[in-house]
Amino acid sequence: MEGDLTLQLRIFDLNCWAIRYLSKRRQERIQLIGDMLRRERFDLVLLQEVWSEQDYSDLKARLGGCYPFSHYFRSGVIGSGLCVFSRFPILDTLLYQYSLNGYPYMLQHGDWFCGKSVGLVIIKISGIVFNVYVTHLHAEYCREKDAYLPHRLVQAWELAQFIRHTSKAADVVLLGGDLNMHPEDVGIRLLRGWTGLRDAFAEATRFEGCEDGCTLIPNNCFTVKTELLPFPLGIRIDYILYKAISSFTVKCEELKTTTGTAPGMDIPFSDHEAVMATLHIQRQGQAAGATLGTAEPMLADVVTEARTEVGVGLRAAQRQRYSTGRMAVLALLLLLLQAAAALGALAGLAAGQPFPKLSFSLLAFLAIGVLLLATGLHLFHTIEVKMLQGTEEQMRMALRALQERP
Amino acid sequence: MEGDLTLQLRIFDLNCWAIRYLSKRRQERIQLIGDMLRRERFDLVLLQEVWSEQDYSDLKARLGGCYPFSHYFRSGVIGSGLCVFSRFPILDTLLYQYSLNGYPYMLQHGDWFCGKSVGLVIIKISGIVFNVYVTHLHAEYCREKDAYLPHRLVQAWELAQFIRHTSKAADVVLLGGDLNMHPEDVGIRLLRGWTGLRDAFAEATRFEGCEDGCTLIPNNCFTVKTELLPFPLGIRIDYILYKAISSFTVKCEELKTTTGTAPGMDIPFSDHEAVMATLHIQRQGQAAGATLGTAEPMLADVVTEARTEVGVGLRAAQRQRYSTGRMAVLALLLLLLQAAAALGALAGLAAGQPFPKLSFSLLAFLAIGVLLLATGLHLFHTIEVKMLQGTEEQMRMALRALQERP
């Protein structure tokens, strides 16, 4: 803090990998994270994957002295995992839950149960209004054949739209989180281009940490080494992004990442590396970037690319909607057939019992099970189709607006 | 339209009651609505319960000449039912789906399947930025024992928060829709108080239409007369609300409602009456209301009242979460017991078959069914509890902010 016209802000961002019963040495790591945050006294702390409210409460109790203000975003079955600790009063909050987030039957991936969202907290420091967003997008489980790409793109689009629509009165916009996208992926280009947000790593005057700013590295004892085989240095999927609106400028003075094992300890804080940015905010002149950051002809290409991918997802969802619907109809037909046979037998029309009772009942139960399951899936894929169509149309509208600009 | 500094805007709002296969004389009424909209040439048309995209497309084709811009909001299994027709270009849109919206197992009420949402369209007329919101909240099926009140209050709160956070750069805010709340209900007082929106009916210089501005009246041949017995005049649940931000003023010159049967026809447009407002917008002086409309001590009382109701809902949801969890555990225990018995029989431990095969299999299937159902419900009520807790906490935060203001 250096007076009224210029402000230094230190931000910490980490995906904490704190899944109850599943994450290794969770409680020990949460304690380590708490100790470090207390020692380092950042201005703003943005955490993801704090799935247990108990862990949040423990951190809150531990950090109350240096971070008197905090917020935990609740959503989904397990929670959003998102929380914020702040040295400055939180004036208001809002949560936006992404409309698509994987599939409930992909239990091994579990994203659907998390209610992935973007959380907004509004903070005022020395009269400057900060809109601070924290988020965590759908994970990428297989880069070659990424079945979740359309869902992640819908999330990236909704995130960009949410930021654009809610940040119009802000002086400074900050976004921190695990975006599960590599720096040149279409989703992050879309997010940057459509919001005008800038990447703290790319803009930083000084950098200290893992090579290329990677946040998932082979050197971290908790990462799955086989997944990182194609990327010997690791990958960068955790970001701090920022922009200034109105008459402010923001510069990233320094960006740091942790580098595996925590200082003086035998384990890292998480399977992800933390990202720490020191921003310099000045109230002077015009803001560097207007609303849109990328040159607009390029932005149109990015939106078109994203729209094509959403279209691919849409056709896959339509196929699944059709096949689950057909299965439900077949199960219903089988049930009706059985009902007719049973009624026939009761009325004495058939010569004898066509099936043994046991197989007959088991078949009926099986048909009911398939009917319920297929109907549920059909409804789910109907929602998926609607949301993908909605996003595609919004992107079409955005393209038209981009093309119509003088 | 009267030049640059003053603007007259005519708005039409209607819950169209256009449920495929269920709503009476749907296609005929959609045609009637289209004819009337074409004849009357409003500036903005906000429709709800247009559940079928085909109906929307028909309206769009019919209205293209006078309302060249339109948007349909997709969400949920059936859709959001929300759409907007406009004489002026729609610059941007955003959809926010309410986090709670009834129960999937209440099939007879069906609200859950609709993905109830609030849609935002941004329109610029003569340089004035309009944020136009259209919404439809959860229906009230029994006023004496309204099981959905906590959900509707969460929706009213989320609606208010969404409007507050997204309208900061707007000059004028308009909201139209079927709020399913009577004018003095806590939800609408909360919405008005927390956003500063004013009720066009209460503010109108001239009024013409049903007594007390009612929009669900016994005189309409499609309304269920028994439901309206306690209200001989009908009830008012459809609204147009507005406010000016920055240096604009908005006044409602005239408010009209339809009064049952459409002019020259034997049926009304819908089971609801349409609300039509003529607004007068002026760019001069300071806006009448700041962000908050109600006197603040009163607003704190309203938030407290709403929070109490949300708390009642929270405790009910916690009870249901507990009882569905217990049922799932019991079903699991029964299954385990059966598995043990079957294994025992297989290993020759038991003297004979303890049950006949048929009953044994039926029981196992029943247990599996109960286990799946109870687990699904338990997950659902867990989400419900989280969202109610989240809303309660946001309201607590709002109260603290209200109390801390000088």
Side-chain angles (χ1 to χ4, degrees):
Chain A
M1 216 64 57
E2 296 160 25
D4 235 2
L5 288 173
T6 174
L7 191 79
Q8 201 192 51
L9 203 71
R10 292 176 62 230
I11 303 161
F12 177 90
D13 171 82
L14 175 65
N15 176 329
C16 297
W17 188 47
I19 313 167
R20 248 181 171 170
Y21 315 119
L22 286 179
S23 299
K24 287 178 199 153
R25 300 174 75 172
R26 188 188 102 246
Q27 283 169 309
E28 198 180 341
R29 289 187 293 105
I30 289 286
Q31 202 165 332
L32 276 182
I33 293 170
D35 289 343
M36 182 267 297
L37 291 176
R38 221 160 52 168
R39 209 168 47 235
E40 291 282 340
R41 295 182 170 263
F42 293 95
D43 295 300
L44 257 177
V45 175
L46 312 175
L47 303 181
Q48 302 100 53
E49 288 213 14
V50 181
W51 297 118
S52 139
E53 279 198 53
Q54 190 52 53
D55 284 345
Y56 166 71
S57 302
D58 290 351
L59 275 175
K60 193 177 162 167
R62 207 174 181 75
L63 298 176
C66 10
Y67 305 90
F69 308 97
S70 65
H71 190 78
Y72 184 79
F73 291 99
R74 290 186 180 86
S75 90
V77 180
I78 306 174
S80 72
L82 308 171
C83 59
V84 175
F85 290 90
S86 164
R87 277 185 52 212
F88 304 95
I90 293 173
L91 302 180
D92 209 341
T93 67
L94 188 65
L95 183 78
Y96 182 96
Q97 202 169 331
Y98 299 123
S99 59
L100 289 180
N101 187 33
Y103 304 97
Y105 49 83
M106 297 301 270
L107 290 174
Q108 77 277 29
H109 293 162
D111 291 66
W112 187 83
F113 292 91
C114 307
K116 293 260 169 84
S117 313
V118 45
L120 158 65
V121 300
I122 298 182
I123 288 169
K124 207 181 211 170
I125 311 173
S126 310
I128 307 174
V129 177
F130 288 81
N131 269 32
V132 183
Y133 300 86
V134 57
T135 194
H136 185 186
L137 303 194
H138 198 292
E140 183 185 77
Y141 294 99
C142 169
R143 194 160 175 81
E144 288 68 43
K145 210 179 163 183
D146 183 8
Y148 298 110
L149 178 59
H151 284 210
R152 202 179 309 105
L153 276 174
V154 169
Q155 294 184 343
W157 176 256
E158 289 180 346
L159 172 59
Q161 284 286 80
F162 182 71
I163 292 176
R164 285 178 66 240
H165 282 283
T166 52
S167 65
K168 287 175 179 167
D171 297 311
V172 178
V173 176
L174 302 174
L175 165 64
D178 174 1
L179 302 182
N180 272 311
M181 300 187 283
H182 297 210
E184 284 315 311
D185 282 359
V186 56
I188 193 131
R189 282 183 284 131
L190 181 73
L191 175 67
R192 285 204 320 260
W194 194 233
T195 57
L197 284 167
R198 285 178 291 153
D199 182 352
F201 173 75
E203 308 274 334
T205 314
R206 285 192 307 281
F207 174 74
E208 200 183 309
C210 300
E211 211 169 324
D212 287 349
C214 290
T215 58
L216 215 58
I217 57 170
N219 235 352
N220 182 309
C221 65
F222 295 131
T223 55
V224 184
K225 303 298 169 286
T226 48
E227 283 177 9
L228 289 174
L229 273 184
F231 309 98
L233 290 177
I235 56 178
R236 182 157 80 92
I237 57 174
D238 299 84
Y239 296 83
I240 291 176
L241 303 168
Y242 61 82
K243 73 168 173 175
I245 315 187
S246 64
S247 54
F248 288 86
T249 53
V250 187
K251 278 191 186 127
C252 181
E253 277 178 7
E254 189 180 55
L255 194 87
K256 283 186 184 183
T257 71
T258 52
T259 52
T261 315
M265 304 301 304
D266 66 327
I267 51 165
F269 294 119
S270 165
D271 62 344
H272 286 241
E273 301 306 316
V275 184
M276 294 157 282
T278 306
L279 301 183
H280 199 81
I281 295 126
Q282 263 189 308
R283 192 203 300 262
Q284 61 176 24
Q286 285 300 305
T291 313
L292 300 173
T294 319
E296 286 186 18
M298 258 175 69
L299 179 54
D301 292 346
V302 175
V303 178
T304 306
E305 194 182 336
R307 198 178 154 219
T308 309
E309 289 294 347
V310 171
V312 171
L314 174 59
R315 282 181 291 284
Q318 281 167 331
R319 280 194 300 275
Q320 286 184 293
R321 181 180 59 172
Y322 174 75
S323 62
T324 49
R326 193 181 49 186
M327 189 171 289
V329 170
L330 287 177
L332 187 66
L333 283 179
L334 178 61
L335 266 179
L336 290 177
L337 206 70
Q338 281 200 292
L343 282 176
L346 275 179
L349 291 178
Q353 179 104 20
F355 294 106
K357 261 187 189 167
L358 180 65
S359 331
F360 196 79
S361 318
L362 287 182
L363 190 65
F365 270 107
L366 193 71
I368 292 173
V370 171
L371 177 63
L372 288 178
L373 198 71
T375 307
L377 286 177
H378 181 71
L379 293 181
F380 180 83
H381 289 298
T382 303
I383 298 180
E384 190 189 9
V385 164
K386 276 201 193 293
M387 300 324 296
L388 287 163
Q389 279 175 334
T391 305
E392 220 201 357
E393 201 189 307
Q394 272 195 41
M395 287 177 170
R396 193 171 50 75
M397 219 165 116
L399 275 173
R400 209 177 47 208
L402 283 174
Q403 280 149 7
E404 275 173 9
R405 279 194 199 169
Chain B
M1 215 65 56
E2 295 160 25
D4 235 3
L5 288 173
T6 173
L7 191 79
Q8 201 191 51
L9 203 72
R10 291 176 62 230
I11 304 161
F12 177 90
D13 172 81
L14 175 65
N15 176 329
C16 297
W17 189 48
I19 313 167
R20 248 180 170 171
Y21 316 118
L22 286 179
S23 300
K24 286 178 200 152
R25 302 175 74 173
R26 188 187 103 247
Q27 283 169 310
E28 199 180 340
R29 289 187 292 106
I30 289 287
Q31 203 166 331
L32 276 182
I33 292 170
D35 290 342
M36 183 267 298
L37 290 176
R38 222 160 52 169
R39 208 169 46 237
E40 291 282 340
R41 294 182 172 264
F42 292 94
D43 295 299
L44 257 177
V45 174
L46 311 176
L47 303 181
Q48 302 99 53
E49 288 213 14
V50 181
W51 296 118
S52 140
E53 278 197 54
Q54 190 53 52
D55 285 343
Y56 167 71
S57 303
D58 290 351
L59 275 175
K60 193 177 162 166
R62 206 175 183 75
L63 297 177
C66 10
Y67 306 89
F69 307 97
S70 65
H71 190 78
Y72 185 78
F73 291 98
R74 289 186 179 86
S75 89
V77 180
I78 307 174
S80 73
L82 307 173
C83 60
V84 175
F85 290 90
S86 164
R87 277 186 51 213
F88 304 95
I90 293 173
L91 303 181
D92 209 342
T93 66
L94 187 66
L95 183 78
Y96 183 97
Q97 202 169 332
Y98 299 122
S99 59
L100 289 180
N101 187 33
Y103 305 96
Y105 50 83
M106 296 302 271
L107 291 174
Q108 77 277 28
H109 292 162
D111 291 65
W112 187 83
F113 292 91
C114 307
K116 293 260 168 84
S117 313
V118 46
L120 158 66
V121 300
I122 298 182
I123 288 169
K124 208 181 210 170
I125 312 174
S126 310
I128 306 174
V129 176
F130 287 81
N131 269 32
V132 182
Y133 300 85
V134 57
T135 195
H136 184 188
L137 304 193
H138 197 292
E140 183 184 79
Y141 295 98
C142 169
R143 195 161 173 82
E144 288 68 44
K145 210 179 163 184
D146 182 9
Y148 299 109
L149 178 58
H151 284 210
R152 203 178 309 105
L153 277 174
V154 168
Q155 295 184 343
W157 176 256
E158 288 180 348
L159 172 59
Q161 285 285 80
F162 182 71
I163 292 175
R164 285 177 65 238
H165 282 282
T166 53
S167 67
K168 287 176 179 168
D171 296 313
V172 177
V173 175
L174 302 174
L175 165 65
D178 174 2
L179 302 182
N180 273 311
M181 300 186 283
H182 297 210
E184 284 315 313
D185 282 359
V186 56
I188 193 130
R189 282 182 284 132
L190 181 73
L191 175 66
R192 286 204 319 261
W194 194 233
T195 58
L197 284 167
R198 284 176 292 153
D199 183 351
F201 173 75
E203 307 276 333
T205 313
R206 284 192 306 280
F207 174 74
E208 199 183 310
C210 301
E211 210 169 326
D212 285 351
C214 290
T215 58
L216 214 59
I217 57 170
N219 236 351
N220 182 309
C221 64
F222 296 131
T223 53
V224 184
K225 303 298 170 286
T226 48
E227 283 176 9
L228 289 174
L229 273 183
F231 309 99
L233 291 177
I235 56 177
R236 183 158 79 92
I237 59 174
D238 299 83
Y239 297 83
I240 292 176
L241 304 168
Y242 62 81
K243 73 167 173 176
I245 315 188
S246 64
S247 54
F248 288 86
T249 53
V250 187
K251 277 192 186 127
C252 181
E253 277 177 9
E254 188 180 56
L255 194 86
K256 282 186 183 182
T257 71
T258 52
T259 51
T261 316
M265 304 300 302
D266 66 326
I267 51 163
F269 295 118
S270 164
D271 62 344
H272 285 241
E273 301 307 316
V275 184
M276 294 157 282
T278 305
L279 301 182
H280 198 80
I281 295 126
Q282 262 189 308
R283 192 203 300 263
Q284 61 174 25
Q286 286 300 304
T291 313
L292 300 173
T294 319
E296 285 185 19
M298 257 176 71
L299 179 53
D301 292 345
V302 175
V303 178
T304 306
E305 194 181 336
R307 199 179 153 219
T308 308
E309 289 295 346
V310 170
V312 171
L314 174 60
R315 280 180 292 283
Q318 281 167 331
R319 279 194 301 274
Q320 285 183 295
R321 180 178 62 171
Y322 174 76
S323 62
T324 49
R326 193 182 48 186
M327 189 171 288
V329 169
L330 288 177
L332 187 66
L333 284 179
L334 178 60
L335 266 180
L336 290 176
L337 206 70
Q338 281 200 292
L343 282 175
L346 275 179
L349 289 178
Q353 179 104 17
F355 293 106
K357 262 187 189 168
L358 179 66
S359 331
F360 196 79
S361 318
L362 288 182
L363 190 64
F365 270 106
L366 192 71
I368 291 174
V370 171
L371 176 62
L372 288 178
L373 197 72
T375 307
L377 287 177
H378 182 70
L379 293 181
F380 180 83
H381 288 298
T382 303
I383 298 179
E384 190 188 10
V385 165
K386 276 202 192 294
M387 299 325 296
L388 287 163
Q389 279 174 334
T391 305
E392 220 201 357
E393 201 188 308
Q394 272 194 41
M395 287 178 170
R396 192 174 48 76
M397 220 164 114
L399 275 173
R400 208 177 47 208
L402 283 173
Q403 281 149 5
E404 275 172 10
R405 280 194 198 168

